[in-house]
Amino acid sequence: YRGARTHFLCCQGQLLRAPERAAATSLAADKAFSESRLSVARLMLPSVAYEDDDLLIINKPAGIGFHDEEDGTKGILSVIRTMQAQGLFHYTGRLHGVHRLDKVTSGCLILAKTPSAAGEAISALRDKRVAKYYVALSDKKPSKKQGTVSGDMERTRRSAWRLTNTRVSPAVTRFIQQTFTTSMEEGTREEQQLRMFVMRPLSGKTHQLRVALRALAAPILGDVLYYPGGIAKKMDRTYLHAAALRVPMGDSLVQVVVPPWETEGKLFSSPEFRTCFSSLFPDKLHLNTDTWFATERGTLFSDPAQLLYKKNTLRDGAGE
């Protein structure tokens, strides 16, 4: 299982392919296209982070949902189909959804090129053999430094959810955090301490990560649904990003890391955040086919690749 697949890295809107493939191709050059023809909320277009014969993993911008909306706003698959029709997306075949990201969340989204590949990836997700790592920012101190957030989720008002004390079918999230200091507003030298949370969900519930940080009293910056008060509306985005994936396919392991500054957001683009992110997601992490985060917080967040090939080994609550 240590055989690595070809990696495609997204850098400043360009698709950088392996040397034996075609030269770098820009997918984000026509920003005006997304506003005038695609009718999406953001100017950024999805770009390819990884591709092989089975999978195509994109870097989804924040502001694009998974499904088409009643007001005519296109979901991510419709956006890609329109790009294909206009010659703005190099892969022209049909793509199949494997999982979803919230509209406010940017980052790694798995798409499959064939129904059989989609079935294999979905099966790996169902068996908890796909490792997904998210990064979020908060300006609040959490109720605990690191560990596992676990509990059932129930719907509240305004399409929001909350975590309960029961554990019948719990949402389970492992997390660690790291602090950095940066300026929150342009044109000011006043700096503020922020927290970068790295989270790995062990279940797949709606709004799970957003609810988990709200339950820790550290809601995500820019999240108007779960951050009380007016500061969320002043932010330029919800600061939640799907930063990395490890997906077992056959006898190999697909690994992708997409830094948040490849999307948008002033705080994600700050030098201080880049340094903080790179301390946990080094440049060649995607080439490490053994254990990720081996030195971080003991065994809490260490993820050996071997576990991804064993069905049902990553059970809810693992890592506590």
Side-chain angles (χ1 to χ4, degrees):
Y1 58 80
R2 297 179 67 88
R5 294 194 175 194
T6 303
H7 284 77
F8 292 63
L9 303 181
C10 179
C11 180
Q12 296 181 346
Q14 290 185 325
L15 175 63
L16 304 183
R17 305 188 182 191
E20 65 272 15
R21 295 298 188 96
T25 303
S26 175
L27 293 179
D30 289 348
K31 290 187 176 181
F33 176 85
S34 63
E35 184 176 39
S36 62
R37 298 186 186 180
L38 291 178
S39 298
V40 295
R42 297 281 180 161
L43 293 180
M44 292 195 68
L45 297 176
S47 56
V48 177
Y50 173 90
E51 183 181 7
D52 61 26
D53 292 339
D54 297 319
L55 301 181
L56 192 149
I57 299 175
I58 65 167
N59 180 18
K60 184 191 83 68
I64 301 179
F66 188 83
H67 297 292
D68 295 347
E69 300 180 22
E70 293 182 358
D71 63 0
T73 301
K74 294 182 180 295
I76 188 62
L77 291 176
S78 294
V79 168
I80 291 175
R81 282 193 291 269
T82 304
M83 292 175 66
Q84 289 173 325
Q86 298 295 329
L88 293 178
F89 202 83
H90 78 286
Y91 180 74
T92 58
R94 183 181 178 184
L95 291 169
H96 306 265
V98 172
H99 68 118
R100 304 174 188 177
L101 290 179
D102 285 349
K103 185 174 182 178
V104 301
T105 308
S106 58
C108 299
L109 182 69
I110 307 171
L111 304 174
K113 293 183 176 180
T114 65
S116 60
E120 183 176 356
I122 291 172
S123 177
L125 279 166
R126 186 182 300 117
D127 295 337
K128 305 182 187 301
R129 293 183 292 113
V130 175
K132 297 185 289 184
Y133 306 92
Y134 293 75
V135 170
L137 299 185
S138 180
D139 61 342
K140 303 296 184 182
K141 183 178 180 180
S143 55
K144 63 179 180 179
K145 294 182 179 180
Q146 63 182 41
T148 302
V149 182
S150 178
D152 292 323
M153 291 175 59
E154 66 178 17
R155 189 179 290 276
T156 62
R157 297 178 300 171
R158 299 183 303 124
S159 299
W161 296 79
R162 74 178 184 91
L163 209 64
T164 71
N165 293 325
T166 61
R167 289 176 175 80
V168 177
S169 179
V172 182
T173 304
R174 281 195 271 166
F175 78 96
I176 56 177
Q177 63 161 314
Q178 193 155 306
T179 60
F180 67 100
T181 302
T182 190
S183 173
M184 289 277 287
E185 298 182 9
E186 294 185 9
T188 178
R189 294 184 178 182
E190 183 178 353
E191 294 187 333
Q192 183 172 346
Q193 186 180 79
L194 300 180
R195 286 174 167 81
M196 179 186 77
F197 290 86
V198 181
M199 299 175 287
R200 180 178 174 194
L202 299 183
S203 52
K205 310 291 186 180
T206 302
H207 295 184
Q208 174 175 330
L209 303 180
R210 299 161 68 185
V211 172
L213 288 187
R214 179 72 180 91
L216 289 170
I220 299 172
L221 281 169
D223 192 341
V224 296
L225 198 57
Y226 294 104
Y227 196 120
I231 186 174
K233 296 181 180 179
K234 299 178 181 179
M235 306 301 295
D236 56 357
R237 63 161 294 172
T238 298
Y239 278 89
L240 177 61
H241 178 79
L245 287 168
R246 307 182 85 184
V247 187
M249 293 290 289
D251 61 353
S252 61
L253 187 63
V254 173
Q255 302 189 143
V256 181
V257 177
V258 176
W261 52 85
E262 304 296 354
T263 54
E264 74 269 23
K266 173 182 177 292
L267 296 178
F268 276 159
S269 300
S270 69
E272 297 84 1
F273 170 78
R274 287 175 178 240
T275 299
C276 185
F277 179 87
S278 297
S279 68
L280 293 177
F281 295 85
D283 288 342
K284 295 185 178 181
L285 180 63
H286 66 284
L287 299 179
N288 176 4
T289 56
D290 193 1
T291 300
W292 281 16
F293 309 107
T295 60
E296 299 303 327
R297 291 23 177 219
T299 60
L300 170 69
F301 216 69
S302 296
D303 276 321
Q306 298 94 308
L307 294 181
L308 301 180
Y309 291 88
K310 299 177 181 179
K311 186 175 179 179
N312 294 325
T313 54
L314 293 177
R315 300 182 184 277
D316 287 352
E320 281 191 323

